[in-house]
Amino acid sequence: MTDPPDLDALATDLQAAAQRLRAGELDPEQAAELVDECARLAARAATELERRARAAEPVPGQDSLL
């Protein structure tokens, strides 16, 4: 089993990719590959955020002890 994604690391990777794209120093094929990688990173981040949101929701039928 793999560890859950580190959202900070994913955000850092996305920011680095965005900087490379903005610099305009990539050929079209490299840029397309980087955009694909950004999409994969964003999907991983979204999946982890959804997982965390579900984990934070109360379970129906269980009373809170607070």
Side-chain angles (χ1 to χ4, degrees):
M1 174 179 259
T2 61
D3 291 332
D6 177 352
L7 292 176
D8 289 332
L10 290 171
T12 298
D13 290 347
L14 282 167
Q15 288 173 340
Q19 287 175 341
R20 289 184 65 202
L21 287 168
R22 279 191 220 105
E25 298 172 357
L26 302 172
D27 66 43
E29 186 175 322
Q30 290 172 318
E33 289 173 6
L34 193 53
V35 168
D36 287 343
E37 178 64 16
C38 287
R40 286 189 292 275
L41 290 169
R44 287 179 60 202
T47 298
E48 179 59 14
L49 287 170
E50 288 173 12
R51 185 195 68 77
R52 291 180 186 195
R54 282 192 307 273
E57 290 175 1
V59 177
Q62 289 186 354
D63 292 331
S64 174
L65 296 177
L66 297 177

